[in-house]
Structure formats: structure tokens, C-alpha cells
Amino acid sequence: MNTTVLAGSRFNAGKMWKTLPFVLIACISFAQPGLAEEREKMLRTLTVTGRGMESIPTTLSLVNLGVEVQGKTAQDVQQEAARRSSAVVALLKSRNVDKLETTGIRLNPVYSYNNNVQRITGYAATNTVSFRIPIEKAGTLLDEAVKVGATQINSVSFVASDSAIAQAQKQALRKATQEAQQQADAVFASLGFKSKEIVSIQVNNANAPTPPPIAYSRSAKLEAQDASTPVVGGEQEVDASVTLQISY
């Protein structure tokens, strides 16, 4: 019984090795036309890149402001900075600012130098926060923040709303795609070729860089005034690029 099974196995294996080359040849024969067609498609391609840009008005102010206190002892300075910062934060929350967060808490010694000798004369504490608010409300809020204890306005920048940026990104991508297609059409027309199909599409990020902040110098710390601080926004640009690979 065992001998019969082994013999049968040797027979099937030998038969399989005889027929295997024919199977491989048949597979290669069927595969070669497809590979050749794909290779030709990749060799006869045009690659073009289009860019699109969309300008949108800014509607929000990004503000970074803070409280700085100087005094003789570290404890007194820190407590006073905490008190003023709490008042500023309470005001900001009452005005429903967006994305309010603490951006820095510092306590540093203040040194004096006499005859090349360094001596601690006091301490300086600084607490800073950042937030977002509609541009038309920013001036009044800055003045109110100064009245309750803010002593620094470090920077103000302007951005569009998230929904406006998202819509602008889509429009920038449409413009980039149209420009890439127009470039390809112009090249094919001048060379007498006809485009067949788009082989690949590469979409680069549609960026909306934040405009650079307007910095306030240290010597220009704000004091409470009756007039509201004017804050005027501008425009923000959103750009995108699309790369098309087109066979012909």
C-alpha cells in the first residue's frame, strides 16, 4: 500500500515538472502585453504643475499680551503678577474670546552691576496669554485689558476664520488643477499630440500661512487711554499646487 502511494507521488511530481514550463510560458505570454502597454504609458507622459492662489479678508485678531511686575522680593512680585493676570483672564473670559491659553510664566532676578560686581536688586515676574477675537472688537478689549492690569501687548496678527480658509483652500485647488490642465493642453497642441488619460495626480498642501504679527516695542507699553486703540485687518492668501502626469 505504501509503495503504491509513493510511486503515484513520484509519477505526479514528474508530470508536474514536465507541464510547469508550458504554464509559465502561457502566463508570461498573457502578462507581457499588459506590461508593455503599462511601460509605454509611463514613457509617453507629460508632467505639469499648476498653482492656485486665493485672497480672503481677515476677520480675526490673534493677540498675545501679558502682565509684568517688578519688586524687591520674589514672593511679592509673583503674587502681584498672579493677581493682575487673574483679572486680565477674567476679563477675557467675560468677553468670550476664542482659544484663550497661557503662553508663558516667568520669574527672573533683576541684577545690577557695580565695579564689575553682580548683585540681585529685585525680581521681575511676567505672565502672558494669547487669544483670538473678531477684529472689530480687538481695540476696545485691548484698552480694557490695560485698565485691569495688562502692561504688555507683545503681538497682534490677523487671520481669516477656519471656514473661510477651508473654502479658500478648495478654490485654490480648483485654480491649480485648471492651470495644470491648461498647460498640458497648450503643450499638446503645439506638438500635435493628443492627451489620453491622467496617469497620476499629486496634490500639495493648500497652505494658509498666518500673516506676520505686528510687534509692539518694549518701550511702547500701553497705558489706559480714553480713545480706543485702532485695529485694522487686511487680507490672507491661501495657495495650492497640483501636479498632473498625462499620457499621450
Side-chain angles (χ1 to χ4, degrees), residues 87-221:
V88 172
V89 170
L91 170 68
L92 298 177
K93 288 182 177 179
S94 70
R95 297 297 184 268
N96 296 319
V97 301
D98 190 25
K99 297 186 177 181
L100 174 63
E101 63 176 342
T102 299
T103 55
I105 298 176
R106 297 196 305 272
L107 176 63
N108 300 315
V110 177
Y111 296 97
S112 67
Y113 296 87
N114 189 11
N115 296 326
N116 294 325
V117 177
Q118 176 178 286
R119 187 169 63 91
I120 296 177
T121 58
Y123 293 87
T126 305
N127 293 355
T128 56
V129 296
S130 66
F131 59 91
R132 217 165 65 162
I133 190 171
I135 291 176
E136 65 273 13
K137 298 180 180 180
T140 300
L141 182 58
L142 291 177
D143 296 336
E144 292 176 341
V146 170
K147 289 179 180 179
V148 299
T151 59
Q152 294 179 333
I153 297 179
N154 300 316
S155 65
V156 179
S157 58
F158 307 104
V159 295
S161 65
D162 294 340
S163 59
I165 291 175
Q167 186 61 35
Q169 287 172 335
K170 294 178 182 178
Q171 188 61 27
L173 287 171
R174 291 191 190 98
K175 290 182 178 179
T177 304
Q178 292 172 358
E179 183 183 270
Q181 188 66 64
Q182 290 170 359
Q183 291 179 17
D185 293 342
V187 171
F188 288 139
S190 63
L191 296 176
F193 294 134
K194 291 185 177 181
S195 63
K196 292 183 178 179
E197 61 178 326
I198 296 176
V199 178
S200 68
I201 303 173
Q202 180 180 341
V203 177
N204 299 322
N205 291 331
N207 296 318
T210 301
I214 302 172
Y216 288 80
S217 65
R218 187 177 179 84
S219 61
K221 294 178 183 178

